[in-house]
Amino acid sequence: MEFSLAFLFNNNTEGERKMTTATKKRIKAQGTTINPMVLASVLPQIPSKINQVERAEVDRGGSRAIALRFQFAGLRDPGYIISDENGVSCFHFCEACANGNNCNHWVYAGVVAHELGMELKKTYFPKDPSDYGHLISDFVDFEDISLQFGVVPPISSGSPPSAGAVSTTGVAPTAAPMISTKTATPIAVQRDWTVGYNDVLAYLKSEGVEASMIVELKELRKSIYDNVQLTTMATEPVKPDLPYMGSYAGRAFRHILAGKDLILIGDKGCGKDTLIATIAWVLGLPVYLQPGNANETKESIVGDRSFAKGEVFFDLSPFATSVQFGGISNYTELNMIPGQITAVFHPVLDENRQLPTLKGPIPRHDHHLFIGSMNVGEQYAGVSLTNGALMDRFAILEMPYSLEFKDLLIRKSGLTDNSALKFLEDVKKQIDELIATEGTGERSKTIRGYIDAAKHFKKYGVNLNLKVEAVEDFILNKTEDKIEKFKMRDRLRQSIFPDLPKTQEEEDYENGTS
């Protein structure tokens, strides 16, 4: 939450520096003394408010001068704290302070300075960054000290690829058997881990991922881009329209960094696929989708025989291809596979790290990640009790349904009305259950629609007419089939929204006149 921190500091009379007269006229100054009582509350905000902290030191005729340079989130021009013979002063430009309004940038800078033993005494509010350029011109060699404050700086645009980057036209980093595959061919492309990384960084920060873990994820992403080949069977990682939001993102990344594979358990719609897509985007891992089914065999999990021009080929499955080339094996509906069949996964997931095939074993790629997912609930028929020996090889995340959905609505729309949020949660639950049990209304399974409805409530308020308007225009009307739409409307009317009026089409349908 944004708020003014000015009341946490003591403002003294306007101070002066050794500047030109013209500069003095353009820069308003105020004396500032940090109240120690507020440090504990301000310091945790630093990673989200500052993108980079740097330090430089120069000798000015036998007197030491220190400069701290800050890249503030949302500002183009850096701000500075300078400690010299004139004391400790802050200089920064933003439109708010230039126009005489309060801003908090100098507050965060002052807290960082305090942690380094520099007590801020004066803050200057220039009308233009050039007004204080001469005061920092002799500071050249800046050292990045961001991590001391849990800050992970973004990368500069156009950064060169990692040293040692290889073209994926070369030999795969992991030795592979001579298996003829018609379904997966390596794509000749060199990937650059820096492309889109700042979006990834902003996402990780917004999810509260700690700086040390962000650095680990960055190094893992570099290695993946250098060593994982894209193939024609994989889905290339891209930023999801709505990346996964909630504490389970951090949990998943912690397990991945610890070398664990994952199983995601939860009702349909709880965000399992979104989390997998988000992991792929953050790390740069291609995704290989393979659904489980009750007729699966150990052989079909690995691949199938095929025939062409009198020859017998062995075509690797998406799972086996991901083992060979690296990437995420997204194995959906894992609990549909009979328990005795899943033993085929064991040698891949344990210390053996290889997949037996008819053509010999495939060593597991260093950047192969297995993520199995299971839908649970009474509405899912045909599921099997998953082999305990298989489950023992995973970190298992039982993903919540309503908590994550509510959190997503709050963060994406700004809506905080608990009754309105509960209403949208209930609508989603009823429609999702109808989809799962009767296959009705799949087009209305729209997270974006619920976010739009939440934004609608935030802007216009919540009453009966607006509830009807939001549910119809953003959710129900996504389904074009009118019979399916009637079923959804009746389901809502009979459960959580009795005041949802019947349309003329519904009346005509029930009366047999349409």
Side-chain angles (χ1 to χ4, degrees), residues 307-361:
F307 303 89
K309 298 181 180 180
E311 294 186 66
V312 179
F313 294 89
F314 183 68
D315 299 330
L316 293 180
S317 67
F319 164 65
T321 304
S322 67
V323 171
Q324 179 181 0
F325 289 103
I328 293 176
S329 176
N330 179 9
Y331 224 114
T332 64
E333 301 177 58
L334 196 61
N335 52 341
M336 294 290 289
I337 305 173
Q340 70 273 18
I341 301 300
T342 58
V344 71
F345 298 122
H346 294 183
V348 177
L349 302 172
D350 61 24
E351 291 79 6
N352 291 307
R353 295 187 61 85
Q354 61 180 10
L355 175 64
T357 76
L358 294 176
K359 289 288 188 177

